[in-house]
Structures are given as C-alpha cells and as structure tokens.
Amino acid sequence: MTTGLRIAFLPLTDAAVLVAARERGFAEEEGIALDLVRTTSWATLRDRLVFGQVQAAHMLAPLAVAVTLGLSQQPAALAAPYKLNVNGNMLVMACDFAKALEPVIASRLADPLGTAHDFAAAIGRWRRKPVIGVVHRFSSHAIMLRYWLASAGVDPDRDVVLRVLPPSLTVEAMHAGEIDGFIAGEPWGSAAVEAGLAETVAIGERIWRRGVEKVLAFRESWLEENPQTVDRLLRALVRAAAWCDDPAHRDDLTHLLARPDYVDQPAYLIDRALSGTLVARAGEPSIVSPDFMLFGREATPFPWRSQALWIYSQLVRWGMVDHDPDMAARAGAVFRPDIFRRALADSNVPMPGASMKLEGAVAAPLAVGSRRGELTLGPDSFFDKRVFDPERIDEFLSGFAPLR
C-alpha cells in the first residue's frame, strides 16, 4: 500500500534530502508517494503546514519553535523529529560596504570575531544604517546574524535595519538597491556574488560549526496520529541523506536541484555549497569549506533537544519571548529524538544515546556513546568560544553584556 504525502519546501540547496528521497526512489521503497510542493516564502510555507494543506514542511528550525510558542501569526503545536541539514548559509554585503573589511577574503572568513568588529566600524562609515535582508524573523540566519553582530557591540535592533524577504528575491532586491546585503541559505548568496553585487562577509559554518538549520516539521497532532507513515518517511530520508553526502552523487544531485521545479538556478552555483568550494568574491579562486553543509554524516539528522533550547535562549535574549520554565520545556519538546529513535530502531544507523548535549563544547572529532555502531561527532564550536548548557539557560544568558 502506498501512502501519499505532501511536503512543502522552498527553492534552496538544503531541500536536497527531500528531493533525493523523491527522485531517487528512497520514499517509494518505503511505500510513500512524495508530492513536494514548491513554495515562495516561509510565511506561506508555515501557513500551508498549520492549516493542513501539507502534512510536513522543510522548515527553518527557529520558526518551528516560534510557531509552537505562539510567537507567529498562526500558533500551532509543531514537532520536528528530523534535521534536514546543518549550516549552509552565508552573509553577503555590497562590494562598496565590503571595502571597509579585511581585504583578504580567506582571512575575513577565518576570523568571524575580527570581521564582526570590522563590520561594526564599517557601519559608521556607511551613508546610512545598512539594510540587511533576512528570510524570516525566526530564521536560523537571522538569529545567527544577531549573535554575530552583538559580539562586536552592534545592536541589531538599533544599528542596522533587518528587512524580511523571501530567499529567491534577495538578489533582485540587491540589484534594485533595496538592501545592502543579506543572509540566506544557498544558492542565493553565491548568486549575488556571481552577479558582482556582493562579497561574502561571513559563513554560518564559521559562526556556529554544525549549527542547526532546517528541520522536517509536522503538526504534532498529525505526527502522533500517523506513526507508521512518519517512521517510513524518516527511514527514507536517512537513506537519502547518506546518498546526498556521498561525493560520487554530487553531480547527479546538483542537476536534480537545478531543475525548474526545484531550485531553478544554474548547476554550477548549486554545486558550490554541496562541494564546499565557495567563490566569495567574483573573479577570485574558490575557498574550501568542506563542512559548509552536511546532510547525513555525524548524526546530522538527529534532533538534539539542546539545539531547540539554544534557539529558545536567543528568542529570550532578543525579547521575543519571556523566559519561564514552561516556555523552555515547550521549546525543547519541539525537537523529537524519541520519534527519530523509534523510526530507526531496527536499522543499523548509529545514533546518540543522549537527547541533549553541551552545544559548542566539541572542539575536535569526538567518539560518543551510540545505541548502535560507532558514532563520531564533528566540531560544533561557536566562533566566540561560548558553551551552551541547556540545563543552565539563565547562566548562559547572564554571560552576555548589555549592548551600549
């Protein structure tokens, strides 16, 4: 028996696992007929999920938390039992603005903290507050941008203008002079660089290595009512993620994503994120960042509750939600490692034995306890060397000095 399943997605490189699951037969082998519904904006995608037009969605991790906490226009209890990728975004700024930053691109990207201070100084020389595009208020990119700017004393609510626009409109908005730069998932940053409109200023992978990015989100009620379908889908996605991470399949994956019904961008631009060979300034040699975006290895799909709580801590930090134990518990419960373990219980997929960890504490590859097989986690450090203990959120938040 085949089960039909509609999943909304945005035209981004990190939709790769869903595309591979459909196009390479992994979903079909689990008895699932995937219908991938291409969507333009995160707000529309959110509404399609909340109102039941789709059963699941390729969603910004902070948006899943925000919707559950009632911070979005359409509150609903969401559940995320699977992470679709980690990292994969970049901040690009107009070439004129970037002239005030470290001129050697490789050095600029290798030193996010120094670049943040250069960025703060550049704001003072710019003709007005820089207008930076973000794809959603509750996006991993926007939260990461706030974290990065604040490290240099920049108040993201006072010293810059954050303007929300869909990822696919970012390059057009730069061309029209409506924004001075943007932070978004690939391939849109690469497209702006290729057009000569921008230079890369920072990449997510250097701000928070293996930072949470997109999740597969369900309405919690639907997830609980359809356990077998959810489990079959997760098994298909784990296989698809391993296929996506295999360099031997990169050319096939690149051309799949380039199709008009998916990302609809040139294959060579899409390949940059998949291969981790980034062109940060038009006409210059590429810069290698092999962990720029991960799909399957190092337990990437596993939904650590500590990562949902880190997101929550940032929502508290920026006054988007009041901090209390009930809200923290609800935020942490959005990520569902219990469902992930249930779905993969009979597989050979190694998975962590714990559901939370100290975020930012792994400085080098680390072998960890696994319920099956050997598992090594890659470095997950923050650029400012902070460590987030999900059981000490108050202590973590008190460590940030007030902005001037």
Side-chain angles (χ1 to χ4, degrees):
M1 178 179 175
T2 300
T3 304
L5 203 58
R6 286 168 57 84
I7 300 180
F9 77 98
L10 255 64
L12 292 160
T13 305
D14 57 31
V17 173
L18 294 172
V19 172
R22 183 183 190 279
E23 298 293 339
R24 286 295 172 260
F26 299 113
E28 184 179 8
E29 289 171 11
E30 289 286 348
I32 292 177
L34 272 190
D35 178 13
L36 300 182
V37 182
R38 195 173 191 269
T39 310
T40 301
S41 74
W42 292 113
T44 301
L45 177 140
R46 172 204 62 202
D47 291 348
R48 281 182 164 166
L49 179 62
V50 169
F51 292 117
Q53 295 177 3
V54 296
Q55 287 78 51
H58 159 234
M59 182 172 276
L60 299 157
L63 183 55
V65 173
V67 170
T68 300
L69 295 183
L71 308 182
S72 190
Q73 289 179 335
Q74 306 298 339
L78 301 184
Y82 189 95
K83 293 211 314 288
L84 289 166
N85 69 300
V86 295
N87 293 136
N89 61 66
M90 64 167 64
L91 170 66
V92 299
M93 293 296 294
C95 299
D96 284 348
F97 186 95
K99 287 178 181 177
L101 309 178
E102 163 62 52
V104 179
I105 291 281
S107 300
R108 180 192 297 174
L109 300 186
D111 182 15
L113 187 57
T115 301
H117 284 276
D118 288 348
F119 195 101
I123 290 174
R125 303 188 191 105
W126 199 238
R127 56 187 176 275
R128 51 175 165 74
K129 289 183 181 181
V131 181
I132 305 174
V134 296
V135 300
H136 196 280
R137 184 185 185 207
F138 301 122
S139 70
S140 308
H141 331 334
I143 288 177
M144 202 170 288
L145 177 66
R146 285 175 170 273
Y147 190 98
W148 180 74
L149 289 173
S151 72
V154 176
D155 186 335
D157 292 315
R158 181 194 63 199
D159 301 330
V160 299
V161 177
L162 302 182
R163 181 166 297 168
V164 175
L165 69 167
S168 58
L169 298 183
T170 50
V171 178
E172 181 180 330
M174 277 209 77
H175 193 271
E178 296 171 0
I179 57 176
D180 300 306
F182 63 86
I183 186 166
E186 280 290 276
W188 302 107
S190 288
V193 171
E194 185 71 10
L197 297 170
E199 292 181 10
T200 306
V201 170
I203 58 177
E205 193 270 328
R206 304 284 175 88
I207 296 175
W208 180 14
R209 302 184 73 179
R210 291 161 179 78
V212 60
E213 185 66 31
K214 305 299 191 310
V215 296
L216 181 72
F218 298 84
R219 297 185 309 283
E220 186 177 50
S221 58
W222 192 94
L223 176 135
E224 300 294 353
E225 292 165 4
N226 297 273
Q228 293 183 351
T229 301
V230 171
D231 289 359
R232 284 186 285 148
L233 176 62
L234 265 56
R235 289 195 292 268
L237 294 182
V238 165
R239 291 177 59 205
W243 186 90
C244 289
D245 269 344
D246 188 338
H249 302 143
R250 198 173 69 233
D251 188 61
D252 286 347
L253 178 59
T254 296
H255 285 87
L256 271 178
L257 292 170
R259 283 173 23 180
D261 49 337
Y262 292 127
V263 181
D264 193 23
Q265 286 290 297
Y268 71 90
L269 287 183
I270 293 170
D271 181 71
R272 292 179 184 177
L274 296 178
S275 63
T277 52
L278 309 171
V279 177
R281 180 188 286 142
E284 291 196 0
S286 59
I287 292 170
V288 177
S289 180
D291 297 334
F292 181 80
M293 183 187 300
L294 304 182
F295 298 113
R297 57 189 171 94
E298 302 172 3
T300 289
F302 188 77
W304 294 97
R305 282 190 162 160
S306 47
Q307 294 178 344
L309 287 168
W310 183 84
I311 291 169
Y312 167 77
S313 77
Q314 298 307 297
L315 299 180
V316 172
R317 182 184 181 189
W318 299 110
M320 299 174 186
V321 65
D322 293 330
H323 180 28
D324 69 57
D326 178 63
M327 292 296 267
R330 287 170 61 193
V334 172
F335 282 23
R336 297 292 301 272
D338 56 320
I339 302 299
F340 185 92
R341 291 194 181 102
R342 183 190 73 196
L344 281 301
D346 296 328
S347 75
N348 293 321
V349 175
M351 64 186 82
S355 296
M356 296 202 299
K357 62 185 175 74
L358 296 177
E359 298 294 337
V362 180
L366 176 69
V368 298
S370 170
R371 297 196 171 194
R372 185 176 289 105
E374 296 181 355
L375 176 61
T376 299
L377 299 181
D380 70 347
S381 54
F382 292 95
F383 75 102
D384 60 1
K385 309 303 181 185
R386 293 180 187 272
V387 173
F388 173 70
D389 184 340
E391 295 181 347
R392 298 182 176 181
I393 296 176
D394 289 298
E395 183 178 320
F396 178 73
L397 289 172
S398 67
F400 294 103
L403 296 173
R404 62 183 186 278

